[in-house]
Amino acid sequence: MKPLIVANWKCSPVTLREAKRLFDSIKKGVRDVKNVEVVICPPFVYLPILGASSFARQRASYGGLALGSQNCFWEEKGAFTGEVSPVMLKDLGCEYVIIGHSERRKYFSETDSMVNKKIKIALKNDLNPILCIDKISQIKKGIKGIPKGEVKKVIVAYEPLWAIGTGMACGFKEAKKFNFSIRKILGGKNSVLYGGSVNSQNAKAYIKEAGFQGLLVGGISLKAKEFVKVVKVVA
Ligand code: PGA
C-alpha cells in the first residue's frame, strides 16, 4: 500500500492567490512521485477552485494530488446555518475528510458522539474518513455502531496533543506502541497515520520504523518545498 501523506492547511493561507500558489507548487513538486498518495486539505472555500483543476479531477492518470476537507457536517442538507454537507464535498471532488481533529474538539467542543455521526455520514457518502485521536478511548467511541466491513475504511490519525504545532514530535518508540494498540483494537486492517510536528527529518522513521501507513502534516504543509521533501523521503 502506498504511504498516505495528508496536508492539513488548517485556517491558512488567507488569500486565494496564496492558496493557488501553494497548491501549484506542491503539485509540481510531487508530479513524478508515483508511489505516495498525497492529499491536500485546504479550507472549505478553496475546495471548488482547487478541485476544478484538471490535475485534481484526473489525478488517476497523473498520479497526482487528492483533495480532502478538514471537517464536514453530520447531516446531508437542511436548516443548519454555516455547515458544510458531505454530499457537497463529494460533488466538489473531495475523496477524504478529516474528522475530530483536536482543534475541532478543543475550540468547537466536538464530542465523540458528534465525531461518530460525522464518520458515519462520511462513509455513507463514499468519503474516506480520517479519524483523529490522541487517546485510545476515542477510537471505540468514534466507530460506535459502524458495521465491521465499514470500520476497515476508517483511517485513524494518532496525534498526541502536546506534539501538534509544538515542534516536539512523538518519539518513534512511543508512537510505535500507540500504532500497535490502535491496530490491535481495529483488527489490523486499518491505515493508521501519525501526526504532530512532522518534518522532512522525522517523516521517514514514522513509516519505516514505527510502521505507520502515512502522516498527517500541519504546519510544514504550508511550506511547499519542505512538504514536497516529506513526500519524497517516504516514497
Ligand atoms: P503540525 O499539525 O504538523 O503543525 O504539528 C498536525 C495536525 O494538527 O494535524
Side-chain angles (χ1 to χ4, degrees):
M1 199 200 281
K2 291 179 180 182
L4 177 65
I5 307 297
V6 183
N8 177 10
W9 286 1
K10 308 191 182 186
C11 193
S12 292
V14 291
T15 65
L16 175 59
R17 209 186 135 131
E18 287 170 279
K20 272 187 180 164
R21 198 185 300 147
L22 177 59
F23 189 78
D24 287 344
S25 305
I26 295 174
K27 181 169 89 175
K28 214 167 143 198
V30 304
R31 177 154 290 190
D32 299 323
V33 184
K34 299 272 183 273
N35 51 346
V36 181
E37 169 91 340
V38 184
V39 184
I40 306 294
C41 301
F44 283 133
V45 289
Y46 302 138
L47 281 169
I49 295 118
L50 303 180
S53 132
S54 60
F55 195 88
R57 288 242 184 235
Q58 298 163 19
R59 67 185 201 86
S61 51
Y62 288 86
L65 306 176
L67 278 180
S69 75
Q70 299 172 16
N71 181 26
C72 77
F73 190 46
W74 61 72
E75 295 285 349
E76 291 178 345
K77 65 173 182 175
F80 304 106
T81 303
E83 289 299 335
V84 174
S85 151
V87 184
M88 298 170 190
L89 296 172
K90 187 75 192 173
D91 183 54
L92 291 177
C94 270
E95 295 175 60
Y96 294 83
V97 53
I98 298 173
I99 294 176
H101 189 277
S102 65
E103 286 149 17
R104 302 273 339 149
R105 296 179 192 257
K106 181 177 170 191
Y107 299 117
F108 305 97
S109 309
E110 277 196 13
T111 62
D112 287 315
S113 94
M114 289 157 136
V115 167
N116 178 246
K117 287 196 269 185
K118 291 181 178 196
I119 301 268
K120 285 177 179 162
I121 202 83
L123 288 169
K124 181 175 173 229
N125 284 280
D126 201 23
L127 289 162
N128 297 301
I130 301 171
L131 164 62
C132 297
I133 61 147
D134 81 302
K135 289 187 214 67
I136 294 289
S137 61
Q138 290 167 339
I139 301 176
K140 282 207 172 140
K141 293 176 185 161
I143 60 167
K144 199 174 161 197
I146 298 174
K148 253 196 180 163
E150 291 283 287
V151 165
K152 63 173 189 277
K153 296 183 192 162
V154 178
I155 300 161
V156 176
Y158 170 58
E159 298 204 296
L161 285 186
W162 51 265
I164 298 177
T166 58
M168 294 188 300
C170 184
F172 306 129
K173 276 195 187 153
E174 195 186 336
K176 190 175 181 173
K177 268 195 229 157
F178 269 93
N179 183 9
F180 194 77
S181 311
I182 295 166
R183 295 180 65 73
K184 207 168 146 194
I185 291 173
L186 293 169
K189 294 207 172 73
N190 297 63
S191 287
V192 184
L193 317 181
Y194 169 77
S197 297
V198 168
N199 58 41
S200 63
Q201 273 91 56
N202 61 24
K204 193 172 174 181
Y206 287 110
I207 313 275
K208 308 281 180 215
E209 286 176 37
F212 287 91
Q213 279 72 49
L215 303 164
L216 182 50
V217 187
I220 289 296
S221 70
L222 296 170
K223 297 179 178 154
K225 256 194 187 164
E226 182 67 10
F227 181 71
V228 167
K229 264 195 207 166
V230 168
V231 173
K232 290 190 170 166
V233 293
V234 304

